[in-house]
Amino acid sequence: QVQLVESGGGLVQPGGSLRLSCAASGFTFSSYGMRWHRQAPGKQREFIAHISSGRSTNYADSVKGRFTISRDNAKNTVYLQMNSLKPEDTAVYYCGRSFGDYWGQGTQVTVSS
């Protein structure tokens, strides 16, 4: 069965960086696009970034230039490098697989001084 496990969240000061990881199993990872979404308290889940099986990427305007999505097919892992973090980036971050409603359990990111 498809499993997605996020890690790497935590508390960071404004302007800081974090790298999230999402370990995937139960499917042929290299054949699927992967994405990151986030959900802040009281808000709907929103798209953050996507990487295709061919490694093309696209980002939400709110994170463009600050966040970078990447993948390591040898490790069945997708990453989200987050730089220049802002308090409004505080949310639970979820990774998901394209083609199907598959999501991890989420990892909390809190940006606060």
Side-chain angles (χ1 to χ4, degrees), residues 8-108:
L11 173 64
V12 62
Q13 291 188 341
S17 298
L18 280 176
R19 189 177 80 153
L20 306 184
S21 300
C22 173
S25 61
F27 62 100
T28 305
F29 179 77
S30 59
S31 297
Y32 288 86
M34 298 294 295
R35 55 185 184 254
W36 287 95
H37 288 218
R38 69 185 180 190
Q39 188 166 18
K43 295 188 176 182
Q44 289 189 328
R45 191 176 295 193
E46 63 173 348
F47 166 79
I48 294 300
H50 175 267
I51 185 166
S52 72
S53 58
R55 300 180 188 271
S56 61
T57 59
N58 63 294
Y59 299 91
D61 287 343
S62 59
V63 305
K64 203 171 293 183
R66 300 188 298 122
F67 290 10
T68 302
I69 188 171
S70 62
R71 64 190 299 157
D72 185 337
N73 289 340
K75 295 183 178 180
N76 286 0
T77 300
V78 60
Y79 303 98
L80 186 69
Q81 177 67 42
M82 306 186 295
N83 299 329
S84 302
L85 283 161
K86 305 175 182 179
E88 51 264 42
D89 294 318
T90 295
V92 179
Y93 284 70
Y94 299 90
C95 75
R97 196 198 80 175
S98 296
F99 301 109
D101 191 23
Y102 299 107
W103 297 96
Q105 82 289 350
T107 186
Q108 176 71 48

